[in-house]
C-alpha cells in the first residue's frame, strides 16, 4: 500500500501520469498570466542532463473562452504578470525582435534521432510563427537558463520553452 502510494506520488510529481502536466501547468497560470485556466498538453518534450542542463518544450491548447480573454487582456496582464517566479520581463506584444534569443530556445542537437529532429523542427516552426505574429504575447526569464513563454490567442495555444545549456 505505502509503496503504491509512494510510486503514485513520484509519478505524479515527475509528470508521468496522464493529466499531471495539465494540472501542474494549471496551477501556474494565475501567477503566469493573472488568469487561472485549464489547458490541455498538446506537445511535450523534456530532456535533462547530468549537470543540470536540459531542454523542455511544451505546447498547451487553450479553450475558446481563454483564447478570447487573451485577445484583449486587461492592463494588469502587461503590468503585473508574469510574476518574478516565472519571468524577468512582463508580457509584451509580439513580434519578438530578439533573434539571438529565439535561435537559442529553438536548438537542434545532433544526438537527437532524425525523427525527433523532424518532430521538434515542425513544432519550432510554430514557435517562430507565433513569435512573429501580431496579436500574440511573450515573456522571458533569463536566469539559470532561458525560459520563453508565448501565448497565441489566434492559434489557441500557450508555449513554454526552457533551454539550459
Amino acid at each position: 500500500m505505502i509503496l503504491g502510494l509512494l510510486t503514485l506520488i513520484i509519478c505524479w510529481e515527475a509528470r508521468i501520469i496522464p493529466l499531471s502536466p495539465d494540472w501542474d501547468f494549471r496551477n501556474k497560470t494565475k501567477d503566469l498570466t493573472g488568469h487561472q485556466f485549464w489547458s490541455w498538453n498538446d506537445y511535450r518534450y523534456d530532456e535533462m542532463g547530468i549537470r543540470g542542463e536540459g531542454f523542455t518544450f511544451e505546447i498547451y491548447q487553450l479553450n475558446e473562452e481563454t483564447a478570447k480573454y487573451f485577445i484583449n487582456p486587461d492592463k494588469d496582464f502587461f503590468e503585473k504578470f508574469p510574476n518574478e517566479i516565472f519571468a524577468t520581463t512582463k508580457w509584451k506584444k509580439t513580434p519578438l525582435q530578439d533573434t539571438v534569443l529565439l535561435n537559442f530556445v529553438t536548438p537542434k542537437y545532433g544526438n537527437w534521432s532524425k525523427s525527433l529532429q523532424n518532430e521538434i523542427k515542425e513544432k519550432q516552426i510554430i514557435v517562430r510563427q507565433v513569435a512573429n505574429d501580431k496579436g500574440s504575447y511573450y515573456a522571458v526569464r533569463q536566469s539559470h537558463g532561458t525560459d520563453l513563454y508565448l501565448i497565441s490567442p489566434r492559434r489557441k495555444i500557450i508555449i513554454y520553452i526552457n533551454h539550459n545549456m
Side-chain angles (χ1 to χ4, degrees):
M1 175 71 173
I2 294 175
L3 181 60
L5 183 59
L6 184 59
T7 301
L8 180 65
I9 291 169
I10 290 169
C11 289
W12 182 266
E13 289 300 318
R15 299 170 77 187
I16 296 170
I17 297 175
L19 293 180
S20 61
D22 301 319
W23 187 260
D24 182 48
F25 194 75
R26 179 197 170 274
N27 289 338
K28 296 175 181 173
T29 59
K30 181 76 172 172
D31 291 330
L32 189 60
T33 67
H35 180 72
Q36 189 165 41
F37 56 90
W38 184 265
S39 55
W40 295 102
N41 186 269
D42 185 49
Y43 180 77
R44 182 171 185 239
Y45 178 76
D46 199 11
E47 179 179 295
M48 293 297 168
I50 296 171
R51 298 176 307 236
E53 73 278 4
F55 179 65
T56 301
F57 185 9
E58 299 177 337
I59 301 175
Y60 292 87
Q61 291 294 319
L62 302 175
N63 64 29
E64 189 71 36
E65 179 184 333
T66 304
K68 283 182 182 176
Y69 169 81
F70 287 117
I71 289 173
N72 190 21
D74 59 33
K75 70 177 184 157
D76 284 349
F77 174 74
F78 297 103
E79 294 174 2
K80 296 182 180 178
F81 297 98
N83 71 24
E84 61 279 349
I85 295 170
F86 292 103
T88 52
T89 69
K90 300 301 180 198
W91 288 105
K92 298 177 183 176
K93 294 181 180 183
T94 55
L96 193 158
Q97 302 293 331
D98 190 343
T99 57
V100 172
L101 170 70
L102 200 51
N103 288 337
F104 180 73
V105 298
T106 55
K108 296 178 190 109
Y109 289 110
N111 67 333
W112 289 344
S113 68
K114 196 70 159 168
S115 64
L116 180 59
Q117 285 181 11
N118 291 335
E119 175 186 309
I120 290 178
K121 181 180 177 184
E122 180 183 308
K123 301 300 182 183
Q124 288 176 341
I125 289 170
I126 296 168
V127 170
R128 291 182 176 281
Q129 290 170 341
V130 170
N132 289 301
D133 282 349
K134 290 192 177 199
S136 295
Y137 313 100
Y138 72 95
V140 178
R141 181 177 73 134
Q142 291 181 299
S143 172
H144 302 100
T146 300
D147 292 343
L148 174 66
Y149 300 93
L150 290 161
I151 297 175
S152 175
R154 184 174 62 86
R155 295 173 191 261
K156 298 179 188 163
I157 59 174
I158 184 166
I159 299 169
Y160 165 67
I161 300 173
N162 169 269
H163 190 197
N164 186 12
M165 290 294 150

